[in-house]
Amino acid sequence: MSLIKCEKLTLGYDGRAIVENLNFVVNAGNYLCIVGENGSGKSTLMKALLGLCKPISGSITFGDGLKKNGIGYLPQQTVVQRDFPASVYEVVLSGCLNSCGFSPFFAQKHRAMARKNMELLGITKLAGRCYRELSGGQQQRVLLARALCASSRLLLLDEPVTGLDPKITHDMYSLISKLNKSGITVIMISHDISAAAGNASHILHISHTPLFFGTSSDYLQSDIGKKFAAADVNGVAGVNGVGAETANRGTRK
């Protein structure tokens, strides 16, 4: 069933379009990777899905009872966020804020959810640690657990492996795939074509050339997919104008 449907969507700022005529559908259980060059509108699209950026034209429709405040979001981290002085448990529990309503306190069910998601992501032993003292990979697991507290249906992940070493990156991709296979719908921005095509069920390529939306296998057979996948594997200028950091990282079963 369709969770999100975008039709003739044009996005930008101050009336100036960054990306135009986006048409795509995200169904329950999909794993969609959004790829494209720097400045092509990937993060702007993510903000629009979260209701933080109003479309210039076109529509974003939520279905199957999904609401904007029922989406789990893992943003790109800033230096300030990485230095956040709170415990791991407090950071994860904060993902339940939207479901607290007008109550200023977390209910027992929220605390149970936080503990459940920490256990799911293997960070229970870190509960009392200060977030800013963790490694990059540990911090991303904490933020992913926080996003799961906000929603067990749909996760929006904005380049969740940026700055991580190859092994931690591989582990993070495996964890995201595991969550998707458990029934959670995933929309992820990625700069890594090989990993995107190897893990995702669908690809949305935002570009100044004709856009692509379809399955990962169809993407790899398309002209734009062949072009950027070859650049990624060969370590030459890829979607972000830099060489691939990781190539052929895993295969979706």
Side-chain angles (χ1 to χ4, degrees):
M1 184 174 291
S2 174
L3 291 182
I4 297 176
K5 185 175 184 180
C6 294
E7 297 181 285
K8 299 180 180 179
L9 188 64
T10 295
L11 302 172
Y13 300 96
D14 299 323
R16 182 178 64 86
I18 295 176
V19 59
E20 300 179 88
N21 199 34
L22 278 177
N23 296 278
F24 66 94
V25 174
V26 180
N27 293 318
N30 282 171
Y31 182 165
L32 172 67
C33 267
I34 303 171
V35 301
E37 298 92 331
N38 277 339
S40 59
K42 302 186 297 296
S43 292
T44 302
L45 173 57
M46 193 74 83
K47 291 176 182 177
L49 295 177
L50 291 166
L52 303 176
C53 173
K54 186 177 180 180
I56 293 175
S57 63
S59 63
I60 301 174
T61 305
F62 294 91
D64 196 21
L66 180 68
K67 298 180 180 179
K68 292 177 183 177
N69 63 359
I71 297 174
Y73 177 48
L74 194 163
Q76 289 191 56
Q77 283 206 81
T78 65
V79 174
V80 173
Q81 289 169 331
R82 291 191 183 97
D83 200 37
F84 192 63
S87 72
V88 166
Y89 176 70
E90 289 170 333
V91 172
V92 174
L93 185 60
S94 70
C96 299
L97 282 171
N98 281 341
S99 61
C100 286
F102 294 105
S103 173
F105 304 105
F106 292 108
Q108 185 58 38
K109 65 179 181 180
H110 299 132
R111 299 180 186 279
M113 183 184 298
R115 290 193 293 268
K116 174 185 175 182
N117 287 324
M118 286 192 296
E119 182 177 356
L120 178 64
L121 297 187
I123 56 173
T124 299
K125 293 182 179 180
L126 301 176
R129 291 274 303 277
C130 183
Y131 175 78
R132 64 184 177 188
E133 295 175 354
L134 304 181
S135 67
Q138 289 172 329
Q139 287 187 342
Q140 289 301 81
R141 282 178 178 260
V142 172
L143 293 181
L144 192 53
R146 181 184 185 277
L148 284 170
C149 282
S151 175
S152 60
R153 299 185 66 193
L154 174 63
L155 295 177
L156 300 189
L157 313 176
D158 194 348
E159 299 200 25
V161 300
T162 298
L164 303 182
D165 66 45
K167 181 183 183 305
I168 301 301
T169 294
H170 179 273
D171 291 344
M172 183 60 69
Y173 277 129
S174 296
L175 181 56
I176 294 168
S177 290
K178 180 180 178 181
L179 292 173
N180 174 245
K181 290 173 183 176
S182 75
I184 298 174
T185 305
V186 174
I187 301 177
M188 180 175 74
I189 292 177
S190 177
H191 63 270
D192 189 332
I193 295 291
S194 298
N199 289 289
S201 62
H202 293 75
I203 301 289
L204 172 64
H205 192 129
I206 301 177
S207 176
H208 301 300
T209 57
L211 304 176
F212 176 92
F213 171 69
T215 65
S216 295
S217 57
D218 286 344
Y219 175 71
L220 291 175
Q221 296 303 313
S222 69
D223 290 340
I224 192 170
K226 289 177 180 178
K227 174 184 176 182
F228 283 94
D232 196 34
V233 170
N234 292 330
V236 297
V239 293
N240 275 325
V242 294
E245 293 184 31
T246 50
N248 298 321
R249 202 188 276 124
T251 302
R252 184 179 178 87
K253 301 298 184 183

